[in-house]
Amino acid sequence: MQQLNIFDYPIVPKNAAIQKHDRVKLKLLDESIDWEIHNYRKYYCENLIGKIGIVVEVKKSTVTVQFAEEVSLCDVRELEWIA
């Protein structure tokens, strides 16, 4: 039996695919994944769901996205990369 070390597991950043100036689409995150984000987007930012925006800044798992005249902080799990 071999003991595992946390450094043995290759970690891939969640936001590796999303970079500054990319086009992304905001999707409604499933309630079972994160109910706080789901409810916030559903009840306070429903006008942004399904909209396409431009990534302004990426910090760890938080992404700043420009949607027309509105700028919003998003979790990387809420975004879908658009080619």
Side-chain angles (χ1 to χ4, degrees):
M1 193 188 300
Q2 181 184 5
Q3 182 166 351
L4 295 175
N5 185 341
I6 61 169
F7 301 108
D8 293 338
Y9 186 76
I11 297 174
V12 178
K14 290 182 179 179
N15 59 357
I18 297 177
Q19 299 175 355
K20 193 172 180 180
H21 303 297
D22 281 352
R23 288 174 35 138
V24 292
K25 182 177 181 180
L26 183 67
K27 59 183 182 179
L28 184 60
L29 197 61
D30 191 72
E31 193 172 9
S32 64
I33 297 171
D34 191 325
W35 65 271
E36 287 182 289
I37 292 175
H38 172 85
N39 287 331
Y40 178 76
R41 291 287 179 218
K42 185 176 179 181
Y43 297 111
Y44 296 103
C45 301
E46 64 184 341
N47 61 322
L48 297 178
I49 297 171
K51 299 284 184 177
I52 295 176
I54 305 293
V55 175
V56 177
E57 185 177 20
V58 179
K59 286 186 179 177
K60 296 185 182 181
S61 65
T62 304
V63 181
T64 307
V65 182
Q66 172 87 41
F67 297 100
E69 298 110 20
E70 190 170 345
V71 176
S72 180
L73 292 175
C74 303
D75 189 280
V76 72
R77 299 174 294 176
E78 297 180 273
L79 300 173
E80 180 181 333
W81 184 77
I82 303 292

